[in-house]
Amino acid sequence: MTTSSPDPTASPEPLDSLILHTTDNAVSWITLNRPEAMNAVTWDQRERVIALLDEASGDPGVRAVVITATGRGFCAGADLRGAPAMGERVPGDVARTVRRGAQRLIAAVLDCEKPVIAAVNGTAAGIGAHLAFACDLVIAAEPARFIEVFARRGLVPDGGGAYLLPRLIGPQRAKELMFFGDSVSATEAERLGLVNRVVPADDLEKTAREWARRLATGPTRALALTKQLLNASLDSDRATAFAAEANAQEINMTTADANEGVAAFVERRPPTFRGR
């Protein structure tokens, strides 16, 4: 687990000020806001992000999600302050902590029924890097960098890193990043396939808003099913993948957006999708 040392002099702040949340034009914006700690996430903050992603899945008024941060860092890893107190450690405690913590956060992004964009403003290290890589699309500002810090600390990667990275860049590149823990620039991350687009820092929010707007005006249920198919594809054999694709088509053809898309094609006009 990647951790940042807590500051015993720090005064507690309201959770709503540490995880900012707004919904704008059907886009849920989740902003990590602890710039003085490079947005290392505490137990409470992690739970808040998980809850917001779950709410986005079930809210028809939300059709896309953006995760971003303030200051110079996107997320420097996990900060264990605020975690439930533990007694004497017994076998199984560490595994349980990982399952309930970092893995739940990453699963919440992967399982969110709305497309999720990471707008990476600065350093993404450890679980912070995995939070970005779990998102469906990653936009990085030019100063951003990604660091697999676990080996530097004598730790095994958590937060699904050993699952995510080989699927994004292949096992050999993943091993290089995880064995050495070198800092990867935004440009190099784009070249490797970890990032979709690198933009000047001043253009990050504008680009994220434009991509989120396009997603939020798209066929929301079709995008959710497409995300589900793509995320499962590398774990499936051909027969399973083809069956899932057929089932997704069956489900999607019951939606109003699918009917609208077909009607718009026949009538030679742009479709107006309503997310239903």
Side-chain angles (χ1 to χ4, degrees):
M1 297 175 291
T2 312
T3 62
S4 295
S5 299
D7 177 3
T9 65
S11 58
E13 297 181 63
L15 189 56
D16 287 347
S17 71
L18 300 175
I19 303 294
L20 306 179
H21 179 246
T22 60
T23 301
D24 180 23
N25 292 322
V27 179
S28 173
W29 286 78
I30 301 171
T31 304
L32 310 182
N33 187 39
R34 273 183 81 212
E36 73 284 355
M38 298 287 283
N39 296 305
V41 290
T42 66
W43 186 91
D44 287 342
Q45 292 161 10
R46 184 196 70 220
E47 293 303 303
R48 178 64 176 149
V49 172
I50 291 171
L52 289 170
L53 289 165
D54 185 60
E55 289 171 14
S57 285
D59 185 350
V62 171
R63 298 172 65 184
V65 177
V66 177
I67 299 176
T68 190
T70 59
R72 296 183 299 110
F74 176 72
C75 178
D79 185 335
L80 298 185
R81 80 179 70 201
M86 293 178 61
E88 183 181 353
R89 181 183 295 173
V90 298
D93 280 350
V94 173
R96 192 177 307 106
T97 298
V98 171
R99 287 196 302 270
R100 291 177 175 176
Q103 290 180 353
R104 282 182 57 246
L105 175 61
I106 299 309
V109 179
L110 294 171
D111 294 339
C112 183
E113 295 179 30
K114 309 298 165 63
V116 183
I117 297 172
V120 182
N121 53 301
T123 298
I127 187 64
H130 300 166
L131 176 61
F133 299 154
C135 292
D136 302 302
L137 299 169
V138 183
I139 306 168
E142 288 173 347
R145 56 195 181 118
F146 302 86
I147 313 172
E148 290 292 329
V149 299
F150 299 94
R152 292 188 186 181
R153 310 289 184 259
L155 301 175
V156 171
D158 65 13
Y163 174 87
L164 293 167
L165 260 69
R167 285 162 172 76
L168 291 169
I169 60 175
Q172 300 292 58
R173 287 290 192 183
K175 290 172 186 174
E176 179 183 343
L177 297 188
M178 289 185 160
F179 287 178
F180 294 120
D182 292 336
S183 176
V184 177
S185 69
T187 301
E188 178 66 4
E190 183 182 32
R191 188 186 71 79
L192 290 172
L194 293 168
V195 165
N196 294 89
R197 185 77 55 85
V198 177
V199 298
D202 289 345
D203 291 342
L204 180 65
E205 181 178 343
K206 179 179 72 174
T207 305
R209 285 190 179 278
E210 173 58 19
W211 282 27
R213 182 198 63 79
R214 292 178 63 186
L215 292 170
T217 56
T220 307
R221 296 313 305 163
L223 294 179
L225 291 164
T226 301
K227 173 176 178 172
Q228 193 176 81
L229 288 173
L230 289 169
N231 284 352
S233 64
L234 293 177
D235 299 321
S236 302
D237 57 42
R238 186 182 68 180
T240 302
F242 276 25
E245 178 183 88
N247 288 334
Q249 290 283 9
E250 180 76 24
I251 294 167
N252 190 63
M253 288 310 296
T254 67
T255 67
D257 280 350
N259 292 328
E260 164 65 8
V262 172
F265 175 76
V266 171
E267 297 165 13
R268 298 185 179 181
R269 59 173 175 80
T272 301
F273 296 123
R274 303 191 182 281
R276 289 167 169 76

